[in-house]
RNA sequence: GCAUCCUUAGCUCAACGGAUAGAGCGUCGGACUUCGAAUCCGCAGGUUGCAGGUUCGAAUCCUGCAGGAUGCGCCA
């Protein structure tokens, strides 16, 4: 039976399986495609591009960010890149909780610290913020001699700090959405009226409740308006999410929340349904992170003052290693972060294994150039000279990269790319050890192999880029 | 008590419901006069927590049980 030209061979593999292999020609064309695409290799067009919002981190501006925020930053920014690579219109957002009870407590705690430094007798309020960092900020505030209201100042100051930290962690947001400003918009009251009209609210103990349990039996009712007349967090958050769809027209919203918010997730879903947005919001619960050092869990407690902040973690292990480790787990799985392993700049640390493959290729290209080979010309080489098993395997692997990116975006699972890159690096090292790339006695095969490894470097670089990990030329 | 997540090799983890369940690390044994040894090759390591069910087919889906983590406020 004649085979279509795209199919190279067919083999019966046992267990009822028949394998069709892509022809070598098709595979080898991939190499040229990759070289032509360059930085765009891995991008694809989406059959139904959507306007997507991805909200993540959204840490309260009340103190230094913790390691769960770090994980959220790594995961969120990577998913955003992957979704963009698939042709979606993606907007990333940090919801700035700069209003409400916690901010009031922060302001009071900060004022108390200032008063203490000035020698006055002042107490940090019940449930306030006792962290030492407020003392440092208070000194800074007093020295700067600004007339700004201390509460406004501290919120702003901490927000700037968070923005810097996130930027250092290669996580940028298109939008920092202020809760305080949002509350002024009147949207909260409007949404409240609509919820009342939906008939799913009731009064009890002087508060206004939302009957979420009627919409979804597993969800408990919750308070919209507290008995003191204040807006509850739940209500503001519902209005905020309604705003995403109604004022800003997102088709889909992904909100990444910490494990302590899983109860909130069901409430939001129920409320979105009541407001006519069912199925458009997907809350992703990102599980917790345990830091492991010396084979043991580091117990962190605010009281004992043993808290490792996101900044400390980045300073300790570096952005590349930290991001890599945060990305290697499914989002719903708990992550044990092995500090000792992440610190190691040796072969045990997989992030270097991948980066090393890239650096090695850059080094070979430089070597070839020094030998007088014109790197620009390798795109015109005779790729069909590649026929060793390891060469074909490498091409086969790189041809899967766009699919890997797509799968990451579809499944909203960041770990797929780092795992792929690890396997890919393995295939490259494998090839490298067995075959010489630059062979002065055979210029034609050299050119073909240089084309091959250039395409490999492109694949690694683009993969690392999506993960927010650097691809160093030398290391 | 309720809710969410987890349980796969010694360790850390992969595996669109599909083939003989795969990687890294660790152990052991090998490979550098030539492009980077931060590398490669090989050996060993498994009743996928337990018990049922659905299916042509289950690590994967359903139920129950056991073990672990977390959350259950008119805080956010």
């Amino acid at each position: 039976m004649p085979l279509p030209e795209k199919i190279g061979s067919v083999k019966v593999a046992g267990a009822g399986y028949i394998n069709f292999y892509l022809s070598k020609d098709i595979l080898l064309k991939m190499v040229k495609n990759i070289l032509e695409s360059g930085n765009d290799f891995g991008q694809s067009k989406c059959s139904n591009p959507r306007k997507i919002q991805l909200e993540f981190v959204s840490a309260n501006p009340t103190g230094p960010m913790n390691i769960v925020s770090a994980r959220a930053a790594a995961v969120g920014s990577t998913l955003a890149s992957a979704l963009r690579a698939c042709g979606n219109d993606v907007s990333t957002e940090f919801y700035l909780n700069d209003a409400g009870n916690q901010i009031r407590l922060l302001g009071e705690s900060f004022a108390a610290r200032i008063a203490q430094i000035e020698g006055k007798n002042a107490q940090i309020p019940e449930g306030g913020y006792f962290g030492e960092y407020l003392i440092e900020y208070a000194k800074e505030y007093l020295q700067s001699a600004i007339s700004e209201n201390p509460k406004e100042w501290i919120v702003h100051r901490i927000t700037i700090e968070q923005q810097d930290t996130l930027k250092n962690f290669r996580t940028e947001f298109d939008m920092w959405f202020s809760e305080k400003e949002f509350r002024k918009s009147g949207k909260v009251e409007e949404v409240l009226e609509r919820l009342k009209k939906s008939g799913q609210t009731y009064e009890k103990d002087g508060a206004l409740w939302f009957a979420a349990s009627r919409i979804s039996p597993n969800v408990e009712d919750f308070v919209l308006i507290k008995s003191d007349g204040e807006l509850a967090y739940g209500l503001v958050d519902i209005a905020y999410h309604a705003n995403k769809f109604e004022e800003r027209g997102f088709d889909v919203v992904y909100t990444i929340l910490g494990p302590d918010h899983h109860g909130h997730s069901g409430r939001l879903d129920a409320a979105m349904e009541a407001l006519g947005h069912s199925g458009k919001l997907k809350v992703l619960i990102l599980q917790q992170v345990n830091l492991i050092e010396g084979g043991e869990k580091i117990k962190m407690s605010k009281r004992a003052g043993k808290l490792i902040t996101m900044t400390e973690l980045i300073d300790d292990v570096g952005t590349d290693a930290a991001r890599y480790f945060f990305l290697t787990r499914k989002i719903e799985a708990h992550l044990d972060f092995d500090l000792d392993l992440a610190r190691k700049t040796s072969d045990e640390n997989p992030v270097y294994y991948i980066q090393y493959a890239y650096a090695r290729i850059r080094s070979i290209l430089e070597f070839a150039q020094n030998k007088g080979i014109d790197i620009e010309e390798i795109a015109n080489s005779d790729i069909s000279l590649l026929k060793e098993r390891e060469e074909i395997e490498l091409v086969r692997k790189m041809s899967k990269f766009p699919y890997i990116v797509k799968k990451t975006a579809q499944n909203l699972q960041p770990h797929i790319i780092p795992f792929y890159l690890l396997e890919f690096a393995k295939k490259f090292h494998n090839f490298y050890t067995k075959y010489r790339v630059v062979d002065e006695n055979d210029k034609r095969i050299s050119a073909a192999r240089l084309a091959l490894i250039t395409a490999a470097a492109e694949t690694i670089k683009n993969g690392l880029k999506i993960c927010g990990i650097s691809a160093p030329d030398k290391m």
Side-chain angles (χ1 to χ4, degrees):
Chain A
M1 184 177 78
L3 290 168
E5 60 181 72
K6 286 188 181 180
I7 304 299
S9 62
V10 178
K11 281 181 191 157
V12 176
Y17 283 83
I18 300 173
N19 290 334
F20 294 83
Y21 292 91
L22 281 177
S23 77
K24 226 183 78 181
D25 289 350
I26 294 291
L27 271 174
L28 292 177
K29 272 186 192 158
M30 261 327 273
V31 176
K32 300 243 171 182
N33 283 344
I34 295 169
L35 294 179
E36 279 165 24
S37 307
N39 289 336
D40 290 337
F41 177 56
Q43 312 263 328
S44 56
K45 282 191 190 126
C46 186
S47 53
N48 59 328
R50 295 170 303 170
K51 192 177 172 192
I52 298 175
Q53 191 211 50
L54 192 60
E55 183 206 331
F56 54 102
V57 184
S58 299
N60 285 351
T62 53
M65 288 183 291
N66 59 25
I67 49 174
V68 177
S69 291
R71 183 178 183 187
V75 168
S77 53
T78 299
L79 290 181
S81 298
L83 286 163
R84 282 195 184 110
C86 295
N88 293 291
D89 176 7
V90 180
S91 176
T92 54
E93 179 149 314
F94 187 113
Y95 182 45
L96 190 53
N97 297 107
D98 54 358
N101 203 28
Q102 298 301 323
I103 294 301
R104 181 180 58 77
L105 283 167
L106 174 75
E108 290 171 13
S109 306
F110 187 56
R113 287 302 194 194
I114 292 172
Q116 284 169 359
I117 291 173
E118 289 173 328
K120 295 173 197 159
N121 190 13
Q123 293 291 321
I124 291 179
E126 180 84 27
Y129 294 89
F130 290 83
E132 305 261 317
Y133 58 91
L134 281 185
I135 300 175
E136 297 306 312
Y137 285 134
K139 286 179 190 161
E140 194 183 322
Y141 175 77
L142 289 169
Q143 276 165 14
S144 65
I146 342 170
S147 56
E148 200 181 349
N149 166 321
K151 189 174 99 175
E152 307 277 320
W153 185 88
I154 187 65
V155 171
H156 186 64
R157 183 68 186 78
I158 292 177
T159 302
I160 299 277
E161 189 81 36
Q162 290 185 336
Q163 289 175 328
D164 281 353
T165 302
L166 287 163
K167 205 168 179 183
N168 281 338
F169 203 53
R170 299 194 195 106
T171 303
E172 309 238 14
F173 291 90
D174 299 313
M175 181 75 183
W176 289 72
F177 192 93
S178 162
E179 177 184 353
K180 193 175 149 193
E181 295 304 313
F182 177 61
R183 283 187 185 226
K184 292 179 188 163
S185 71
K187 181 74 179 173
V188 181
E189 289 75 12
E190 183 217 311
V191 165
L192 178 62
E193 284 312 308
R194 282 161 59 200
L195 288 175
K196 281 183 186 167
K197 274 186 196 155
S198 76
Q200 306 291 11
T201 61
Y202 61 89
E203 287 195 35
K204 193 179 88 180
D205 303 329
L208 185 73
W209 292 69
F210 182 68
S213 60
R214 288 187 214 152
I215 295 171
S216 180
N218 280 343
V219 181
E220 289 178 359
D221 295 356
F222 59 95
V223 168
L224 296 171
I225 304 282
K226 299 191 249 177
S227 54
D228 62 4
E230 294 267 329
L231 308 176
Y233 157 80
L235 171 61
V236 181
D237 208 40
I238 289 167
Y240 166 56
H241 278 85
N243 160 282
K244 296 181 180 192
F245 297 116
E246 293 163 13
E247 263 84 50
R248 297 192 274 162
F250 291 110
D251 300 319
V252 185
V253 169
Y254 299 120
T255 300
I256 299 180
L257 295 179
D260 49 336
H261 284 67
H262 77 251
H264 185 57
S265 149
R267 295 178 211 155
L268 257 184
D269 282 341
M272 285 305 111
E273 200 172 320
L275 293 172
H277 300 299
S278 16
K280 286 153 74 179
L281 169 68
K282 189 169 167 66
V283 176
L284 307 172
I285 300 292
L286 187 65
Q287 283 298 330
Q288 65 180 102
V289 179
N290 295 315
L291 287 177
I292 309 288
E293 191 169 32
E296 301 211 356
K297 242 186 234 184
I298 299 179
K299 293 223 171 91
M300 295 206 269
S301 79
K302 280 188 182 173
R303 247 182 321 180
K306 208 174 178 195
L307 258 179
I308 293 179
T309 66
M310 179 167 168
T311 311
E312 286 165 348
L313 180 76
I314 298 171
D315 290 347
D316 190 347
V317 306
T319 294
D320 283 340
R323 288 191 66 104
Y324 181 84
F325 282 94
F326 281 128
L327 293 175
T328 49
R329 300 299 309 271
K330 292 179 282 199
I331 60 172
E332 66 270 26
H334 300 192
L335 170 64
D336 284 339
F337 193 109
D338 188 335
L339 277 172
D340 302 318
L341 180 58
R343 283 187 194 120
K344 279 187 192 163
T345 55
S346 71
D347 55 338
E348 292 168 53
N349 191 334
V351 67
Y352 295 112
Y353 182 85
I354 298 166
Q355 290 181 321
Y356 180 62
Y358 181 79
R360 211 176 200 184
I361 294 173
R362 301 298 307 180
S363 171
I364 298 168
L365 292 174
E366 199 183 319
F367 175 85
Q369 221 158 8
N370 291 339
K371 289 279 173 192
I373 295 174
D374 187 354
I375 298 291
E376 302 301 319
E377 278 303 302
I378 58 170
N380 302 321
S381 61
D382 183 3
I383 301 287
S384 68
L385 291 171
L386 301 174
K387 49 184 158 233
E388 302 296 345
R389 185 172 60 85
E390 286 78 4
E391 293 167 336
I392 301 300
E393 279 290 300
L394 191 56
V395 177
R396 202 186 294 282
K397 195 77 185 172
M398 61 179 83
S399 72
K400 285 181 183 155
F401 180 60
Y403 166 73
I404 293 294
V405 177
K406 247 183 216 170
K407 206 166 140 189
T408 301
Q410 274 167 9
N411 298 1
L412 300 168
Q413 287 293 3
H415 69 284
I416 299 173
I417 296 179
F419 273 96
Y420 167 81
L421 289 175
L422 198 62
E423 288 169 14
F424 187 84
K426 171 108 181 154
K427 297 252 187 235
F428 166 73
H429 287 308
N430 203 322
F431 154 77
Y432 170 86
T433 335
K434 202 157 172 186
Y435 300 100
R436 200 178 161 78
V437 177
V438 181
D439 181 350
E440 284 159 78
N441 298 323
D442 193 338
K443 294 251 156 68
R444 294 175 68 230
I445 193 78
S446 292
R449 284 182 177 157
L450 284 167
L452 174 70
I453 66 167
T454 303
E458 212 61 55
T459 307
I460 297 174
K461 188 182 74 190
N462 293 349
L464 287 175
K465 179 93 191 293
I466 290 175
C467 297
I469 298 173
S470 68
D473 290 345
K474 288 186 167 46
M475 48 194 290

